[in-house]
Amino acid sequence: MIIVMRPDVTDAQLDHVRERVEAAGMRTHTSRGQQRVIVGCIGDDALLEDVPLLSLPGVESVTPVLKPYKLAAREFAAERTIVQIGDASDTVVGGAELTVIAGPCAVEGESMLRQTAHRVRAAGARMLRGGAFKPRTSPYAFRGLGEHALELLADVRAETGLPVVTEVMDTRQVDLVAGYADVLQVGARNMQNFSLLSELGRLQRPVLLKRGLSATVRELLMAAEYVMEQGNRDVILCERGIRTFETSTRNTLDIGAIPVLKAETHLPVIVDPSHAAGRSELVAPLAFAAVAAGADGLMVEVHPRPEDALSDGDQSLDPDAFDGLMDRLAAFAVAAGRTQAVRASGGAAQTAAA
Ligand code: PEP
Ligand code: MN
């Protein structure tokens, strides 16, 4: 149930409405926008059947939410969520600027990470990615450098100012990864690891939630609900391609999911064209399509020497190719009504207005 308050509602009226809802056995969540305040009611709507909500002072309208997700539902928030990254950075996801995250699939060592970070920052990336714990199909494949990789990410963040995002695979790793990362990534294979989602919900740290290989949009939103329900409202959704009968790309990028998600939720939506493509030459067209469809950001794999990469070399861009992608992306960002951090020749990124 959603209660929309009148524009002139007083704090006392708001408190009274919340008290009545909570006395009926439901939880409330208040969302304050510039124009209006919304009280979201969480629980079984039947509990409110006998509460004359419309007659309470300050109430404008009462609407049931028929969707299974509540906190993630578009209607539940007065405005779209803008996720602030890190304490000191000016990076946000979900704002006017298209936020580009870039970096290697896995942190393989110090110099490759440092080199990549400087290049992607100069090209306009706002956040550095890099796996420390890698979910691999084969247990014999390179599975990441673990805590050492987290230390390297923190060092390179200190040097470049780029906030870092890295994957957490297990509830036992949450405190360790949270000790280093600005954003905690939940990988596609873990999208429905409900104990991990709940554990991340107890942190006050943004979560980048990747869509599962065979998950529906609804299941993705229910996974976000698991995090939010524990109190952490900073969830960034990521479309990264789904498994279909098609084998010409690694995964099928579900472009349609982007406008669907933007209609269904107030949470920001980003796209990972690298894991969808599986091949570097397909990354740029998928990135352009994602931005045109309304994505709030992109996450792109970049490696200084893709042919030597220990994982996902086929889909990784080298830094020159990433420069080219960013240069061409600017026109799509502007066409989609966004600003984009663009490359300044030889210097740091600057922002171009739409
Ligand atoms: C990744 O981003 O490093 C990754 C493993 O992606 P996904 O979980 O989408 O396969
Ligand atoms: Mn990868």
Coordinates of all heavy atoms in Angstrom, one line a residue, residues 56-111:
L56 N -7.6 10.3 7.4 CA -6.6 10.9 8.3 C -6.1 12.2 7.7 O -5.8 12.3 6.5 CB -5.4 9.9 8.5 CG -5.7 8.5 9.0 CD1 -4.5 7.7 9.2 CD2 -6.4 8.7 10.4
P57 N -5.9 13.2 8.6 CA -5.4 14.5 8.1 C -4.1 14.4 7.3 O -3.2 13.7 7.8 CB -5.3 15.4 9.3 CG -6.1 14.7 10.4 CD -6.1 13.2 10.0
G58 N -4.0 15.1 6.2 CA -2.8 15.1 5.5 C -2.7 14.1 4.4 O -1.8 14.1 3.6
V59 N -3.6 13.1 4.4 CA -3.5 12.0 3.3 C -4.2 12.5 2.1 O -5.3 13.0 2.1 CB -4.2 10.7 3.9 CG1 -4.3 9.7 2.7 CG2 -3.4 10.2 5.0
E60 N -3.5 12.3 0.9 CA -4.1 12.7 -0.4 C -4.7 11.5 -1.1 O -5.8 11.5 -1.6 CB -3.0 13.3 -1.2 CG -3.6 13.9 -2.5 CD -2.5 14.6 -3.3 OE1 -2.2 15.8 -2.9 OE2 -1.9 14.1 -4.2
S61 N -3.9 10.4 -1.1 CA -4.5 9.2 -1.8 C -3.9 7.9 -1.2 O -2.8 8.0 -0.6 CB -4.2 9.3 -3.3 OG -2.8 9.2 -3.6
V62 N -4.5 6.8 -1.5 CA -4.1 5.5 -1.0 C -4.2 4.5 -2.1 O -5.2 4.4 -2.8 CB -5.0 5.0 0.2 CG1 -4.5 3.7 0.7 CG2 -4.9 6.0 1.3
T63 N -3.1 3.9 -2.5 CA -3.1 3.0 -3.6 C -2.4 1.7 -3.2 O -1.3 1.6 -2.7 CB -2.2 3.6 -4.8 OG1 -2.4 5.0 -4.8 CG2 -2.5 3.0 -6.1
P64 N -3.1 0.5 -3.6 CA -2.4 -0.7 -3.3 C -1.3 -1.0 -4.3 O -1.4 -0.6 -5.4 CB -3.5 -1.8 -3.5 CG -4.6 -1.1 -4.3 CD -4.4 0.4 -4.1
V65 N -0.2 -1.6 -3.8 CA 0.9 -2.0 -4.8 C 0.7 -3.5 -5.1 O 0.8 -4.3 -4.2 CB 2.3 -1.8 -4.1 CG1 3.4 -2.2 -5.1 CG2 2.5 -0.4 -3.7
L66 N 0.4 -3.8 -6.3 CA 0.0 -5.1 -6.7 C 1.3 -6.0 -7.0 O 1.2 -7.2 -7.1 CB -1.0 -5.2 -7.8 CG -2.3 -4.4 -7.5 CD1 -3.1 -4.3 -8.7 CD2 -3.0 -5.1 -6.4
K67 N 2.4 -5.3 -7.1 CA 3.6 -6.0 -7.4 C 4.2 -6.7 -6.2 O 4.0 -6.3 -5.1 CB 4.7 -5.0 -7.9 CG 4.2 -3.9 -8.9 CD 4.6 -4.4 -10.3 CE 3.9 -3.5 -11.3 NZ 4.2 -2.1 -11.3
P68 N 4.9 -7.8 -6.4 CA 5.5 -8.5 -5.3 C 6.6 -7.8 -4.6 O 7.0 -8.0 -3.5 CB 6.0 -9.9 -5.8 CG 6.2 -9.6 -7.3 CD 5.2 -8.5 -7.7
Y69 N 7.3 -6.9 -5.4 CA 8.3 -6.1 -4.8 C 7.7 -4.8 -4.3 O 6.8 -4.3 -5.0 CB 9.5 -5.8 -5.8 CG 9.1 -5.6 -7.2 CD1 8.8 -4.4 -7.7 CD2 9.0 -6.7 -8.0 CE1 8.4 -4.2 -9.0 CE2 8.6 -6.6 -9.4 CZ 8.3 -5.3 -9.8 OH 7.8 -5.2 -11.1
K70 N 8.2 -4.3 -3.2 CA 7.6 -3.0 -2.6 C 8.6 -1.9 -2.6 O 8.4 -0.9 -3.3 CB 7.1 -3.3 -1.2 CG 6.2 -4.6 -1.1 CD 4.8 -4.4 -1.6 CE 4.0 -5.7 -1.6 NZ 2.9 -5.7 -2.5
L71 N 9.6 -2.1 -1.8 CA 10.7 -1.1 -1.6 C 11.3 -0.8 -2.9 O 11.8 0.4 -3.2 CB 11.7 -1.5 -0.6 CG 11.2 -1.7 0.8 CD1 12.1 -2.5 1.6 CD2 11.0 -0.3 1.4
A72 N 11.4 -1.7 -3.8 CA 12.1 -1.5 -5.1 C 11.1 -0.9 -6.2 O 11.5 -0.4 -7.2 CB 12.6 -2.8 -5.7
A73 N 9.8 -0.9 -5.9 CA 8.8 -0.5 -6.9 C 8.9 1.0 -7.1 O 9.2 1.8 -6.2 CB 7.4 -0.8 -6.4
R74 N 8.7 1.4 -8.4 CA 8.8 2.8 -8.8 C 7.9 3.7 -7.9 O 8.3 4.8 -7.5 CB 8.4 2.9 -10.3 CG 8.4 4.3 -10.9 CD 9.8 4.7 -11.2 NE 9.8 6.1 -11.6 CZ 9.9 7.2 -10.8 NH1 9.9 7.0 -9.5 NH2 9.9 8.4 -11.2
E75 N 6.7 3.2 -7.7 CA 5.7 4.0 -6.9 C 6.1 4.2 -5.5 O 5.5 5.1 -4.8 CB 4.3 3.2 -6.9 CG 3.8 2.8 -8.2 CD 4.2 1.4 -8.7 OE1 5.5 1.2 -8.8 OE2 3.4 0.6 -8.9
F76 N 7.0 3.4 -5.0 CA 7.3 3.5 -3.5 C 8.2 4.6 -3.2 O 8.4 5.0 -2.0 CB 8.0 2.1 -3.1 CG 7.3 1.5 -2.0 CD1 6.0 0.9 -2.2 CD2 7.8 1.4 -0.7 CE1 5.4 0.3 -1.1 CE2 7.2 0.8 0.4 CZ 6.0 0.2 0.1
A77 N 8.8 5.2 -4.2 CA 9.8 6.3 -3.9 C 9.2 7.6 -4.6 O 8.7 7.5 -5.7 CB 11.1 6.0 -4.5
A78 N 9.4 8.7 -3.9 CA 9.0 10.0 -4.5 C 9.8 10.4 -5.7 O 9.3 11.0 -6.6 CB 9.0 11.0 -3.4
E79 N 11.1 9.9 -5.7 CA 12.0 10.3 -6.8 C 12.9 9.1 -7.1 O 13.0 8.2 -6.3 CB 12.9 11.5 -6.4 CG 12.1 12.8 -6.4 CD 12.9 13.9 -5.8 OE1 14.0 13.7 -5.4 OE2 12.3 15.0 -5.7
R80 N 13.5 9.1 -8.3 CA 14.5 8.0 -8.6 C 15.6 8.1 -7.6 O 16.1 9.1 -7.2 CB 15.0 8.2 -10.0 CG 14.0 7.9 -11.1 CD 14.6 7.7 -12.4 NE 13.6 7.5 -13.4 CZ 13.1 6.3 -13.6 NH1 13.4 5.3 -12.9 NH2 12.1 6.2 -14.5
T81 N 16.1 6.9 -7.3 CA 17.3 6.8 -6.4 C 18.6 7.2 -7.2 O 18.8 6.7 -8.3 CB 17.4 5.4 -5.9 OG1 16.2 5.1 -5.1 CG2 18.6 5.1 -5.1
I82 N 19.3 8.0 -6.5 CA 20.7 8.3 -7.0 C 21.6 7.8 -6.0 O 21.6 8.1 -4.8 CB 20.9 9.9 -7.2 CG1 19.9 10.4 -8.2 CG2 22.3 10.2 -7.5 CD1 20.0 11.9 -8.4
V83 N 22.5 6.8 -6.4 CA 23.3 6.2 -5.4 C 24.7 6.9 -5.4 O 25.4 7.1 -6.4 CB 23.6 4.7 -5.8 CG1 24.6 4.0 -4.8 CG2 22.2 3.9 -5.7
Q84 N 25.0 7.3 -4.2 CA 26.3 8.0 -3.9 C 27.4 7.0 -3.7 O 27.2 6.1 -2.8 CB 26.1 9.0 -2.7 CG 27.3 9.6 -2.1 CD 27.8 10.7 -3.1 OE1 27.1 11.5 -3.6 NE2 29.1 10.6 -3.4
I85 N 28.5 7.1 -4.4 CA 29.5 6.1 -4.2 C 30.7 6.7 -3.4 O 31.2 7.7 -3.7 CB 30.1 5.7 -5.6 CG1 29.0 5.3 -6.6 CG2 31.1 4.5 -5.5 CD1 28.1 4.1 -6.3
G86 N 31.1 5.9 -2.4 CA 32.2 6.4 -1.5 C 31.9 7.6 -0.7 O 30.9 8.3 -0.9
D87 N 32.7 7.9 0.3 CA 32.5 9.0 1.1 C 33.0 10.3 0.5 O 32.4 11.3 0.6 CB 33.2 8.8 2.5 CG 32.7 7.6 3.2 OD1 31.5 7.2 3.0 OD2 33.5 6.9 3.9
A88 N 34.1 10.2 -0.2 CA 34.8 11.4 -0.6 C 34.7 11.6 -2.1 O 35.0 12.7 -2.6 CB 36.3 11.3 -0.3
S89 N 34.1 10.7 -2.9 CA 34.1 10.8 -4.3 C 32.9 11.6 -4.8 O 31.9 11.7 -4.1 CB 34.1 9.4 -5.0 OG 32.8 9.0 -5.2
D90 N 33.0 12.1 -6.0 CA 31.8 12.8 -6.6 C 31.1 11.9 -7.6 O 30.3 12.3 -8.4 CB 32.2 14.1 -7.2 CG 33.3 14.0 -8.3 OD1 33.7 12.8 -8.6 OD2 33.7 15.0 -8.8
T91 N 31.4 10.6 -7.4 CA 30.7 9.6 -8.3 C 29.3 9.3 -7.8 O 29.1 9.0 -6.6 CB 31.6 8.3 -8.4 OG1 32.8 8.6 -8.9 CG2 30.9 7.2 -9.3
V92 N 28.3 9.3 -8.7 CA 27.0 8.8 -8.4 C 26.5 7.9 -9.5 O 27.0 8.0 -10.6 CB 26.0 10.0 -8.2 CG1 26.4 10.9 -7.1 CG2 25.8 10.8 -9.5
V93 N 25.6 7.1 -9.2 CA 24.9 6.3 -10.3 C 23.4 6.6 -10.2 O 22.8 6.5 -9.1 CB 25.2 4.8 -10.1 CG1 24.6 4.0 -11.2 CG2 26.7 4.5 -10.0
G94 N 22.9 6.9 -11.4 CA 21.5 7.3 -11.4 C 21.2 8.8 -11.6 O 20.1 9.2 -11.6
G95 N 22.3 9.6 -11.7 CA 22.1 11.0 -11.9 C 22.1 11.3 -13.3 O 21.9 10.5 -14.2
A96 N 22.4 12.6 -13.6 CA 22.3 13.1 -15.0 C 23.4 12.5 -15.9 O 23.3 12.2 -17.1 CB 22.4 14.6 -15.1
E97 N 24.6 12.2 -15.2 CA 25.7 11.7 -15.9 C 25.7 10.2 -16.1 O 25.3 9.5 -15.2 CB 27.0 12.1 -15.2 CG 28.3 11.7 -16.0 CD 29.6 12.1 -15.2 OE1 29.8 13.2 -14.9 OE2 30.4 11.2 -15.0
L98 N 26.1 9.8 -17.3 CA 26.2 8.4 -17.6 C 27.5 7.9 -16.9 O 28.6 8.4 -17.1 CB 26.4 8.2 -19.1 CG 26.6 6.7 -19.5 CD1 25.2 6.0 -19.5 CD2 27.2 6.7 -20.9
T99 N 27.3 7.0 -15.9 CA 28.4 6.6 -15.1 C 29.1 5.3 -15.7 O 28.5 4.3 -15.9 CB 28.0 6.2 -13.7 OG1 27.2 7.3 -13.2 CG2 29.1 6.0 -12.7
V100 N 30.4 5.5 -16.1 CA 31.1 4.3 -16.7 C 32.0 3.8 -15.7 O 32.8 4.5 -15.1 CB 31.8 4.8 -18.0 CG1 32.5 3.6 -18.6 CG2 30.8 5.3 -19.0
I101 N 31.9 2.4 -15.5 CA 32.8 1.7 -14.6 C 33.7 0.8 -15.5 O 33.1 0.2 -16.5 CB 32.0 0.7 -13.7 CG1 30.9 1.5 -12.9 CG2 32.8 -0.1 -12.8 CD1 29.8 0.7 -12.3
A102 N 35.0 0.8 -15.3 CA 35.8 0.0 -16.2 C 37.0 -0.6 -15.4 O 37.4 -0.1 -14.3 CB 36.3 0.9 -17.3
G103 N 37.5 -1.6 -15.9 CA 38.7 -2.3 -15.3 C 38.8 -3.7 -15.7 O 37.9 -4.2 -16.4
P104 N 39.8 -4.4 -15.2 CA 39.9 -5.8 -15.6 C 38.9 -6.7 -15.0 O 38.3 -6.4 -14.0 CB 41.3 -6.1 -15.1 CG 41.5 -5.2 -13.9 CD 40.8 -4.0 -14.2
C105 N 38.7 -7.9 -15.7 CA 37.8 -8.9 -15.1 C 38.3 -9.2 -13.7 O 37.6 -9.2 -12.8 CB 37.9 -10.1 -16.0 SG 36.9 -11.5 -15.4
A106 N 39.6 -9.6 -13.7 CA 40.2 -9.9 -12.4 C 41.5 -9.1 -12.1 O 42.2 -8.7 -13.1 CB 40.6 -11.4 -12.3
V107 N 41.7 -8.8 -10.9 CA 43.0 -8.1 -10.5 C 44.1 -9.2 -10.6 O 44.1 -10.2 -9.9 CB 42.9 -7.6 -9.1 CG1 44.3 -7.0 -8.7 CG2 41.8 -6.5 -9.0
E108 N 45.0 -9.0 -11.5 CA 46.0 -10.0 -11.8 C 47.4 -9.6 -11.2 O 48.3 -10.4 -11.1 CB 46.2 -10.3 -13.3 CG 45.0 -10.8 -13.9 CD 45.1 -10.9 -15.4 OE1 46.1 -10.5 -16.0 OE2 44.0 -11.2 -16.1
G109 N 47.5 -8.4 -10.8 CA 48.8 -7.9 -10.2 C 48.7 -6.4 -10.2 O 47.8 -5.7 -10.6
E110 N 49.8 -5.8 -9.5 CA 49.8 -4.4 -9.2 C 49.9 -3.5 -10.5 O 49.1 -2.6 -10.7 CB 50.9 -4.1 -8.3 CG 50.9 -2.6 -7.8 CD 51.9 -2.4 -6.7 OE1 52.6 -3.3 -6.3 OE2 52.0 -1.2 -6.3
S111 N 50.9 -3.9 -11.4 CA 51.2 -2.9 -12.5 C 50.0 -3.0 -13.5 O 49.6 -1.9 -14.0 CB 52.5 -3.2 -13.1 OG 52.4 -4.3 -14.0

